[in-house]
Amino acid sequence: MLPTTLTALLVLLLDIFLDRGRCQRPQSSRFEKSHQFELRHQHAVSPDARVVFSDVPSTVNLVYGNESSYSIDTQYMTSYRPSSFSAYNDARIRSMRHAQSAILPWYETEILGPNVEKRETLLELAKMTNNAYVTPDDSQWYELDENWSNPYPFGWEPDADGFRGHVFATSDNSTIILSIKGTSAAVWGSAGPTAKKDKLNDNLLFSCCCARIDWSWTTVCGCYRGGWKCHQDCLEQALVEDSLFYPLGTNLYNNLTYMYPASDIWIIGHSLGGAVASLLGVTFGVPAIAFESPGERLAARRLHLPSPPSTHHVTHIYHTADPIAMGTCNGILSSCALGGFAMETKCHLGKSIVYDTVSNLSWSVDIRKHGIVSVIEEILEKTWQPSENVGREVPLAAAEEDCVECYSWEFGDFPP
Ligand SMILES: *[C@@H]1O[C@H](CO)[C@@H](O)[C@H](O)[C@H]1NC(C)=O
Ligand SMILES: *[C@@H]1O[C@H](CO)[C@@H](O)[C@H](O)[C@H]1NC(C)=O
Ligand SMILES: *[C@@H]1O[C@H](CO)[C@@H](O)[C@H](O)[C@H]1NC(C)=O
Ligand SMILES: *[C@@H]1O[C@H](CO)[C@@H](O)[C@H](O)[C@H]1NC(C)=O
Ligand SMILES: *[C@@H]1O[C@H](CO)[C@@H](O)[C@H](O)[C@H]1NC(C)=O
C-alpha cells in the first residue's frame, strides 16, 4: 500500500502531464449564469432489476409546485474523476474481494455545478427531489439498448424495486439533472410499493451492525456476534449481495450518459435518494446535492468505494431537528425503531449546509420534519435570519471532519 502522500504526489504528477490545458479561473468569475431545467423522463427499476425510463410529456407535471421549468444558478467547482468507470470498479472489486488497496489515479477537473450559496437554487433543487410518483396512465417504459430509438411498452409494476425518480434537462441538453427518490416508509408518510425494499437497504447501509437494536429485533443480516461485536467481513459481504442500490445507481448513471453522451450530469436526491446521489457523485466526480440524507460515509466504506482526494463537489443540506440526517433515529423507542428502521450513522461525505432549526427556530427533533415538503415550505422558502445577519443567504458549507459514529461497536473477525 502506498502512503497517502506518495499517492498524492503521483496524482499531482499525472495531473500536470494530463491536464496542462486547464487554466486558473479568477475567483470572481466562478459564478455563472443560471440554467433552466424541464422535466424529461421518469426512471424506475423493473422487477428483474433493470433500469427503465419513460418520457414525460411536457403537459404532465409530477413535481412540487407544478412549475414548467426550474431556474438554477451555477458555479464552477473542483472535482476528481477516475480515468474510467471500469478502472474505478476494478479497484473497488480488488479492495472488496482481495483486500488490496487500490492505487487509483484521480484527475482534477473544473466542473459547472449548482451555486449552493444561493437560497433560491437550494429551493428549486429541493422541489425537483419531491416527486409525486404519479404514474401517467399511458406511461411507456423502455430500456436502453442499441435499439433505443424504439421504445417498447413496459407496464407499471406495483412491486417494482424502490429506486425511482426523474430526469430534468436544459433545452439544449447541455446539463442533465438526475433526481433520485427518498424512502417511502410508512412511518413518515404514505407507504408506497417501494417501502419494503427501501427498508432492507436502509437497514443494511445506515445501521452499525445489520440493524441489531436489541434482542427483540430480527436482524437484516447475520453478522451480529453478541455483546457489541460485529463481524466486519460478513457485513461487507451482506452489502455486496443484498444491496442493489449502489449497482443500480451506477447502471442508471451509465444509461443516462448513453442517452446524453455530451451532457454534464448533476445528481440530486432526498433522504435515501440523497445518500445514493452522494455515492454516485463521488464515483463519477460530478456535482451531487443531497437533502436530509442519513450519514453515508460508512456506507461508502462498506461498499469499498475508492475515495478521491476530496469529495467537496458533494453538498449535503439538512437541519438539526431531522433525526434521520442527524443519526439520532436509533434506540428501541425511537420513531425509526418503531417503524422497523435502524438509522444510526451520522457522518456525511463532502460539505454540509446545516440549518440549526433546533436552536434558531426552537423546533423539537421530530421524524415529520424529515420530509422534503417541510424543508421546502418551512426552511428554504423563507429567508434564514442567522445567515442573513452575517450577509449570507444560506449557512456556510463545512466538511464534517471530526465526526464519529457507531463508537460503542467493535468490528472485526469474531467467530460466529
Ligand atoms: C443500461 O443499464 C442496464 C442495467 O439496468 C445495462 O444492462 C445496460 O447495458 C445499460 N445500457 C446502456 C446502453 O448503458
Ligand atoms: C398544473 O399544470 C397543468 C399544465 O401546465 C395545469 O393544467 C394544471 O391545472 C396545473 N395544476 C395546478 C394545481 O396548478
Ligand atoms: C435490434 O433491432 C434489430 C432489427 O429490428 C434486431 O434484429 C435486434 O435483435 C435488436 N436488438 C436487440 C438487442 O433488441
Ligand atoms: C435533447 O434530448 C432529447 C432526448 O431526450 C432529444 O429528443 C432532443 O432532440 C435533444 N435536443 C437537443 C437540442 O439536442
Ligand atoms: C442561531 O443558533 C446559533 C447556535 O446554533 C446561535 O449562535 C445564533 O445566535 C442563533 N441565531 C439566531 C438569530 O437565533
Side-chain angles (χ1 to χ4, degrees), residues 271-282:
S271 189
L272 181 62
V276 176
S278 161
L279 298 179
L280 294 179
V282 169

Side-chain angles (χ1 to χ4, degrees), residues 371-391:
I372 192 69
V373 172
S374 158
V375 173
I376 292 170
E377 293 177 356
E378 298 175 70
I379 302 175
L380 295 174
E381 273 184 351
K382 302 174 174 164
T383 57
W384 183 249
Q385 209 50 49
S387 294
E388 297 275 331
N389 290 348
V390 294

Side-chain angles (χ1 to χ4, degrees), residues 150-178:
N150 315 322
Y152 68 89
F154 196 102
W156 178 259
E157 293 291 334
D159 290 327
D161 206 289
F163 200 103
R164 288 184 199 169
H166 289 149
V167 177
F168 300 81
T170 52
S171 58
D172 63 356
N173 294 344
S174 64
T175 308
I176 307 294
I177 297 184
L178 170 60

Side-chain angles (χ1 to χ4, degrees), residues 356 359-360 385-386 389:
D356 192 351
S359 305
N360 295 131
Q385 209 50 49
N389 290 348

Side-chain angles (χ1 to χ4, degrees), residues 40-41 55 142 148 169-174 176 259-260:
R40 279 284 173 75
H41 318 276
D55 298 339
Y142 57 88
W148 169 47
T170 52
S171 58
D172 63 356
N173 294 344
S174 64
I176 307 294
M259 230 192 282
Y260 298 102

Side-chain angles (χ1 to χ4, degrees), residues 11-215:
V11 171
L12 188 71
L13 287 173
L14 275 168
D15 207 48
I16 290 165
F17 280 120
L18 294 168
D19 210 6
R20 52 192 174 272
R22 184 162 44 93
C23 55
Q24 217 50 49
R25 206 174 299 275
Q27 200 64 24
S28 58
S29 72
R30 282 185 75 83
F31 299 113
E32 297 285 314
K33 65 179 173 26
S34 65
H35 283 16
Q36 306 290 327
F37 291 89
E38 55 207 43
L39 181 59
R40 279 284 173 75
H41 318 276
Q42 284 191 95
H43 64 81
V45 172
S46 69
D48 59 345
R50 306 175 77 81
V51 177
V52 291
F53 296 88
S54 79
D55 298 339
V56 179
S58 53
T59 50
V60 176
N61 198 314
L62 307 171
V63 183
Y64 182 94
N66 205 13
E67 292 168 26
S68 59
S69 107
Y70 299 82
S71 176
I72 311 281
D73 277 349
T74 59
Q75 128 190 57
Y76 277 95
M77 50 181 78
T78 302
S79 90
Y80 294 86
R81 294 186 172 163
S83 59
S84 69
F85 176 62
S86 62
Y88 184 92
N89 212 37
D90 287 350
R92 180 168 108 83
I93 302 291
R94 276 200 308 277
S95 162
M96 205 157 59
R97 306 254 162 85
H98 311 294
Q100 287 172 6
S101 73
I103 304 162
L104 189 67
W106 292 94
Y107 305 105
E108 186 184 326
T109 102
E110 287 276 288
I111 51 171
L112 197 64
N115 179 353
V116 295
E117 310 248 308
K118 292 272 199 191
R119 185 177 61 85
E120 281 288 336
T121 297
L122 301 187
L123 174 62
E124 292 299 283
L125 291 171
K127 288 179 183 174
M128 293 162 91
T129 67
N130 178 53
N131 303 329
Y133 308 113
V134 176
T135 312
D137 290 342
D138 56 350
S139 163
Q140 300 259 302
W141 293 94
Y142 57 88
E143 230 179 288
L144 299 187
D145 61 17
E146 70 260 36
N147 292 346
W148 169 47
S149 54
N150 315 322
Y152 68 89
F154 196 102
W156 178 259
E157 293 291 334
D159 290 327
D161 206 289
F163 200 103
R164 288 184 199 169
H166 289 149
V167 177
F168 300 81
T170 52
S171 58
D172 63 356
N173 294 344
S174 64
T175 308
I176 307 294
I177 297 184
L178 170 60
S179 163
I180 304 174
K181 70 171 282 293
T183 296
S184 52
V187 69
W188 52 83
S190 61
T194 67
K196 190 159 166 263
K197 198 83 180 188
D198 282 349
K199 188 186 255 181
L200 176 66
N201 281 290
D202 291 0
N203 279 335
L204 281 171
L205 286 171
F206 304 104
S207 72
C208 294
C209 186
C210 309
R212 158 92 198 179
I213 298 288
D214 77 353
W215 56 269

